[in-house]
């Protein structure tokens, strides 16, 4: 008979695998649109989908590891969360000299699809957030933050249509940087707490 814990781990594996596949699929969709319309915020979000894929693959691989190894993986995950922030910063810098507005309709529709995908991912992971440690928490926070970013991109699409300016798109790209840095710090801190807990369980001196 399968134990309750083993059953929960199996359910978590299925959930994480589903989230990874959803993120990988929509990364291709969003990346193609972003490049075709020249959107900074949409490109950063497409990179974010790839980063989320990597995060969930890492979670899938690390399930069942010791607390110490999970803490190390959690810190790696925190660094991965910074990837879309760096991508957005570079794109914003590159486009600031010539802020051409992206197509607002394509921008809004693509961001709307991304919001649906990320909301599904966040709801799937929310069931396991309390029991999955820093890695599952990081995956959940990334999906949750992405929903907020997608809504903001839709707003940017409306502002772009009204102003015919590329600056709302660039400003949001900078906002994505700030959001991901904060999420990375939260995951890093939780992973550090897990590392200290692992050392305490091993009887090591924490001073």
């Amino acid at each position: 008979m399968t134990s309750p814990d083993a059953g929960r781990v199996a359910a978590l594996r299925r959930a994480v695998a589903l989230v990874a596949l959803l993120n990988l699929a929509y990364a291709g969709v969003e990346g193609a649109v972003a490049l075709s319309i020249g959107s900074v915020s949409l490109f950063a979000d497409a990179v974010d989908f790839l980063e989320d894929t990597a995060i969930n693959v890492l979670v899938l691989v690390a399930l069942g590891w010791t607390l110490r190894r999970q803490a190390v993986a959690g810190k790696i995950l925190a660094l991965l969360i910074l990837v879309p922030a760096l991508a957005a910063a570079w794109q914003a810098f590159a486009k600031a000299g010539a802020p051409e507005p992206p197509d607002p309709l394509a921008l809004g529709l693509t961001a709307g699809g991304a919001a649906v995908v990320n909301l599904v991912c966040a709801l799937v992971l929310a069931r396991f957030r309390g029991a999955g440690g820093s890695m599952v928490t990081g995956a959940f926070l990334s999906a949750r933050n992405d929903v907020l970013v997608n809504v903001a991109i839709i707003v940017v699409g409306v502002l772009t249509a009204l102003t015919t300016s590329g600056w709302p798109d660039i400003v949001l790209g900078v906002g994505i940087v700030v959001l991901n840095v904060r999420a990375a710090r939260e995951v890093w801190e939780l992973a550090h707490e897990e590392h200290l807990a692992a050392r305490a369980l091993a009887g090591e001196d924490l001073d």
Side-chain angles (χ1 to χ4, degrees):
M1 180 180 295
T2 303
S3 68
D5 287 344
R8 185 165 180 79
V9 170
L12 176 56
R13 286 185 183 278
R14 290 193 296 270
V16 172
L18 173 62
V19 170
L21 288 173
L22 287 173
N23 277 283
L24 181 60
Y26 208 78
V29 173
E30 197 170 45
V33 176
L35 292 175
S36 68
I37 67 174
S39 170
V40 174
S41 59
L42 209 59
F43 176 79
D45 200 49
V47 175
D48 189 73
F49 270 111
L50 289 177
E51 168 250 334
D52 285 346
T53 302
I55 286 175
N56 284 281
V57 169
L58 179 60
V59 173
L60 193 61
V61 171
L63 285 175
W65 285 3
T66 63
L67 185 61
R68 187 188 294 268
R69 292 183 69 187
Q70 285 191 13
V72 173
K75 289 185 177 181
I76 294 173
L77 187 153
L79 296 177
L80 285 175
I81 293 176
L82 293 177
V83 171
L86 296 175
W90 173 252
Q91 285 294 314
F93 175 78
K95 194 175 178 182
E100 291 293 325
D103 176 31
L105 181 59
L107 184 65
L109 290 177
T110 308
V116 172
V117 172
N118 281 313
L119 181 59
V120 170
C121 292
L123 291 174
V124 168
L125 293 172
R127 297 169 48 214
F128 303 97
R129 183 186 177 190
S134 61
M135 292 185 297
V136 175
T137 297
F140 167 78
L141 287 175
S142 186
R144 183 203 64 184
N145 290 347
D146 290 345
V147 175
L148 301 178
V149 169
N150 299 146
V151 172
I153 294 175
I154 294 172
V155 173
V156 163
V158 174
L159 292 176
T160 300
L162 294 174
T163 64
T164 65
S165 170
W167 281 109
D169 184 55
I170 294 174
V171 170
L172 180 57
V174 175
I176 293 174
V177 173
V178 176
L179 189 63
N180 281 278
V181 167
R182 291 180 61 183
R185 183 180 65 181
E186 185 173 346
V187 175
W188 182 278
E189 291 173 350
L190 182 54
H192 184 64
E193 290 175 4
E194 289 177 344
H195 180 70
L196 293 178
R199 291 180 59 188
L201 288 173
E204 298 180 14
D205 188 1
L206 299 181
D207 294 334

